[in-house]
Amino acid sequence: MAFEFCMALFLSVWSMARSDQVPEGVLHMECRDRYLMIAVDLSFAGMEPSFDAIDQTGVYPITEQYAAKCGYSVTVHPLLGLVELRASYFSCHTDNKDDDVFTFHFNLSAYHEGKKVTYALTKTCSPSLPWSPREVTCEINYMEVSVRSKITCHSGTKKDDWNALKPVLAHSSTTSDWQVMFQRAGEQMAPMKLSQARTQGYGFDLTNGRLVFRAPYGQPESFSTEVNGVPVEMVHATVFSRQRWTVVMVDLVAACSMHEGSHDNRGFVMWKTPELLYPSVNSTQIIVGLNGERNEWPVAEEKGYIVERENDTVHISIPYNAEGGYRKSFVTGGLYEFYIFHLYFEQIFVDDDHVETALRIHRTLVTPLLPWLLFTDNQTVLEDRVFTVYLGNVPEDIALASVQLNGQDFMVPFLNTSSYTIIQAVQPNNTHSYTLKVPFDDPIVIQQVSKEDAVIHYRLDINYTLNVEFLNEPYYHLASIVAWSPDVSSPAFDAACSESGISFKLDHRPFDYLWEISVGADLLTSELAAQHGYILSNDSQSLLLDVPLFTHGYQYNNVTLKGFVAFFEILVRNHETSEVQTAVKTCPFISNELIMCSTDGQMTVVVDLSLAIPSGGSPGRTSLKDNKCGPKEADGTRALFSFPVNSCGSTIKLGKDNVTYQNAILYNEPVSGDATEIMVARCTYPLASLHRLFLLYKFESDTAGVGSIIHTAQSTTGVQSPIIKPKAALQTIPATEGPARKFIPSKPAVHPPARYIKVSRIHSFPRGFGEGPERFSQTKMNRVQKHF
Ligand SMILES: *[C@@H]1O[C@H](CO)[C@@H](O)[C@H](O)[C@H]1NC(C)=O
Ligand SMILES: *[C@@H]1O[C@H](CO)[C@@H](O)[C@H](O)[C@H]1NC(C)=O
Ligand SMILES: *[C@@H]1O[C@H](CO)[C@@H](O)[C@H](O)[C@H]1NC(C)=O
Ligand SMILES: *[C@@H]1O[C@H](CO)[C@@H](O)[C@H](O)[C@H]1NC(C)=O
Ligand SMILES: *[C@@H]1O[C@H](CO)[C@@H](O)[C@H](O)[C@H]1NC(C)=O
Ligand SMILES: *[C@@H]1O[C@H](CO)[C@@H](O)[C@H](O)[C@H]1NC(C)=O
Ligand SMILES: *[C@@H]1O[C@H](CO)[C@@H](O)[C@H](O)[C@H]1NC(C)=O
Ligand SMILES: *[C@@H]1O[C@H](CO)[C@@H](O)[C@H](O)[C@H]1NC(C)=O
Ligand SMILES: *[C@@H]1O[C@H](CO)[C@@H](O)[C@H](O)[C@H]1NC(C)=O
Ligand SMILES: *[C@@H]1O[C@H](CO)[C@@H](O)[C@H](O)[C@H]1NC(C)=O
């Protein structure tokens, strides 16, 4: 006793001094009714953890064989990520104080990066339940029976056995130490010394109050049978000792249901045991649970277990989703799930002598692999032009590691800068989902133009890489989404105002050929560009079109002395659907002089009078031939007239093919009232284009007229007024009337449509792209005029 005390003291000092400590959270030690349970995370313990049992006498590695003999069960659950040690209270190296206080010392050896590290584990337990006269434990690797050692052969042994032993005892009359004799299917075997039985894997122990016997499964002395159709393994040992003139003998019987469990398609795993494995007078008490939890019958039923008695068997059915069960995903060719249950079953038998037997069974039940399906749902909304793909039914133990989009790998979560997103959501049924979004127009998306139905196929092949907890092999889930976008959007032009006109730019897209580009009724080709003086450049990247002012296709509006606006329209027509889109750009320009002969017969003239009227004379004193027709607008040097071609004293000259309307600008002397003709303005229309003039009092021409201004008057200062040669100065813009107008959906309001314009000096101010109209500066105007 003194020695034991010293050792205990030594041990406790020793454990205080230990250097390696198991970190929080990875170790779980719990005293259960008849055993100590230790669970350690494999992430900490490594894949090959080992335990040593330690007592005063030494260090005992818990090998498989040693465990079964000595009351230990070690199970590594790689799929659950833990190693579990169950140690019986009667295990070999446990310090037992009066069958009431049990102290365990273990060392756990783990390998960290190839280095062995040892951790000391110590725990003291006191069972909460009193010991029954006979206790049988069917562990996963051994059967253990303990009986109160006060029990004499009278109550522990049947009369027949007692008689059967007599001849044996007679022959070994000298035996004084303990011996054991096995019975196998009613057959007695030769007795052997306990020491010999121990070498054959059996365990015997005599505690303060109990005799303990332990046998691994499958020993030659044990036998397998069937009871009520349930496989049962049984070991029957009679331990005896002749002490002087008395023989002490104890019968030790352990019988265990070896049923491995079965499953059905109701979502239950079912396990059976014979109802009366031990003699009993009345119906027996049953306790069942998972992981050592003890639920009495009604509680078990509440938890969804089904406990039935049928054909003298107890059937325990546990629902797959029972609390305490483990669900695992598994990958082998496909995705599967299975369930593991650590079943604990307890039954109390009371025989006709009112002697109680407590039977405790530990069984690991595993369901077969059950196919598990992930699903992808195409939640793409075409209008958003974004693939939205939902991956659902992902179990908790599976996580998305990466995705392959059309063959290109991306880790998830995506980089902050990525245009893709993935959102994880947790569902109430212990699954989660991932929603992936990839824009149609992203370069990763495969676009295919279908010429037949004029649509674009956007294609996204997804290969999800899913990692299953504790498994090395990932699972790949494939999805292929194709979206058909019927609205092949029209090419989008960029446009900008420049000094000399308007520039259009179009970046090519693969399906742009579905659209044809035209100016008015004419397709835009390099020939057309050359014909009209447009500057067209077209490479594989983009198309550039510079349209100089006053070239074919321009329209003009809001002519004032300050300037005018010109706009140019490009039509984009889908030749499959005939859908037409327009690209219109309006720019402000400045011109010192101009003449416009519109199709509705309106002549608009801006003239510079600075050289034609006497110095100090006012442009406001000018008029047309009919002096009631004064300028609409006048400033220090210029005047604007706008009038119907055949009014205000115009003369009409009919040619062979055309008609010319001519008027003159007169300067009216302030004092004398004399009028001096200083300029001639005329508009010539082709006769063929005129419809109405001679039928109705309404002018209507298919084409605009050609205008010219002729400076006729000499300056009163004697300075020769420059005569602008009409041919040289005129900018001729052919008409754009025609079928093209039919598909102009939103034509800007133009009153009247101007077709021809004559300009002496042009200055434009680029507008647009953030610049305001304030760029029309007075200084620039002055400079222009001076220059003129
Ligand atoms: C048990 O583990 C402790 C702590 O690592 C160590 O100090 C001790 O030496 C180990 N004992 C044996 C017998 O290995
Ligand atoms: C079974 O018998 C024992 C001992 O006689 C008694 O304590 C127990 O209540 C009985 N159980 C039932 C269900 O009858
Ligand atoms: C019970 O035993 C009978 C007769 O052997 C058999 O027909 C029946 O199927 C058994 N019931 C169950 C649930 O095993
Ligand atoms: C879990 O819930 C999600 C969302 O409601 C559903 O799509 C999925 O099918 C459910 N999975 C199971 C196994 O019930
Ligand atoms: C993403 O990048 C922005 C800008 O660099 C930063 O402000 C933001 O915190 C980043 N977000 C994440 C989740 O990293
Ligand atoms: C999915 O991705 C994995 C890993 O990149 C690859 O091994 C596998 O072949 C891919 N599957 C398909 C069908 O592309
Ligand atoms: C995905 O959804 C889009 C938009 O609803 C639809 O156009 C497309 O046909 C769908 N693709 C597949 C493969 O189901
Ligand atoms: C411009 O070039 C592209 C190919 O580079 C061609 O498809 C297109 O017809 C060309 N457009 C014009 C107006 O020449
Ligand atoms: C013409 O001027 C009017 C009035 O100033 C203005 O409302 C209109 O938008 C202008 N038209 C264009 C094409 O600039
Ligand atoms: C008008 O017609 C005549 C005769 O055909 C032609 O010579 C002249 O060039 C035409 N004028 C204009 C401005 O078209």
Side-chain angles (χ1 to χ4, degrees), residues 168-177 179 193 242-244:
V168 181
L169 290 171
H171 286 294
S172 51
S173 54
T174 57
T175 310
S176 64
D177 51 350
Q179 296 198 43
K193 289 186 179 172
R242 211 181 84 150
Q243 286 154 357
R244 297 202 195 104

Side-chain angles (χ1 to χ4, degrees), residues 315-382:
H315 294 216
I316 312 279
S317 298
I318 304 163
Y320 284 173
N321 61 0
E323 196 185 315
Y326 298 97
R327 186 208 161 279
K328 268 304 301 166
S329 296
F330 195 72
V331 179
T332 170
L335 187 59
Y336 295 89
E337 64 163 351
F338 66 92
Y339 294 85
I340 303 177
F341 301 94
H342 295 140
L343 174 69
Y344 176 74
F345 174 84
E346 192 180 306
Q347 206 176 358
I348 309 289
F349 305 88
V350 181
D351 69 13
D352 45 12
D353 290 336
H354 304 283
V355 176
E356 203 178 81
T357 298
L359 171 68
R360 296 184 169 82
I361 305 184
H362 296 268
R363 286 293 176 254
T364 297
L365 308 177
V366 182
T367 66
L369 294 179
L370 309 161
W372 182 266
L373 294 178
L374 303 183
F375 69 89
T376 33
D377 186 23
N378 172 16
Q379 297 183 340
T380 306
V381 175
L382 221 45

Side-chain angles (χ1 to χ4, degrees), residues 696-714:
L696 306 162
Y697 290 105
K698 188 170 178 194
F699 191 99
E700 192 178 304
S701 169
D702 277 349
T703 63
V706 175
S708 57
I709 301 171
I710 301 150
H711 290 243
T712 52
Q714 294 208 331

Side-chain angles (χ1 to χ4, degrees), residues 143 182-185 189 202 215-224 233-236 254:
M143 299 180 269
F182 288 99
Q183 290 184 50
R184 192 175 179 281
M189 299 182 186
Y202 294 101
Y217 290 110
Q219 287 285 90
E221 290 78 14
S222 61
F223 61 103
S224 297
E233 182 165 338
M234 198 178 277
V235 64
H236 184 171

Side-chain angles (χ1 to χ4, degrees), residues 4 7 11 60 114 127 139 225 346 401 403 496 544 661 671 685 711 729 756:
E4 272 183 40
M7 268 314 273
L11 274 172
Y60 303 90
E139 250 298 352
T225 179
E346 192 180 306
V403 287
L544 281 168
Y661 298 87
V671 186
Y685 292 88
H711 290 243
Y756 291 98

Side-chain angles (χ1 to χ4, degrees), residues 378 380 382 480-484:
N378 172 16
T380 306
L382 221 45
S480 189
I481 311 290
V482 179
W484 289 265

Side-chain angles (χ1 to χ4, degrees), residues 508 513 517 524-526 536 538-540 543:
H508 290 310
Y513 71 84
I517 301 166
L524 178 65
T525 59
S526 36
L536 175 69
N538 184 23
D539 61 21
S540 60
L543 178 145

Side-chain angles (χ1 to χ4, degrees), residues 642-720:
S642 182
F643 56 101
V645 284
N646 52 1
S647 66
C648 295
S650 296
T651 57
I652 303 172
K653 203 184 281 174
L654 210 55
K656 191 167 147 256
D657 298 319
N658 49 35
V659 57
T660 299
Y661 298 87
Q662 181 168 314
N663 208 316
I665 294 163
L666 310 178
Y667 181 69
N668 299 298
E669 294 290 342
V671 186
S672 64
D674 293 346
T676 319
E677 181 186 300
I678 50 176
M679 282 180 202
V680 169
R682 62 178 170 232
C683 286
T684 300
Y685 292 88
L687 268 180
S689 72
L690 292 183
H691 298 275
R692 304 256 190 102
L693 183 60
F694 305 108
L695 296 173
L696 306 162
Y697 290 105
K698 188 170 178 194
F699 191 99
E700 192 178 304
S701 169
D702 277 349
T703 63
V706 175
S708 57
I709 301 171
I710 301 150
H711 290 243
T712 52
Q714 294 208 331
S715 163
T716 46
T717 58
V719 175
Q720 186 82 19

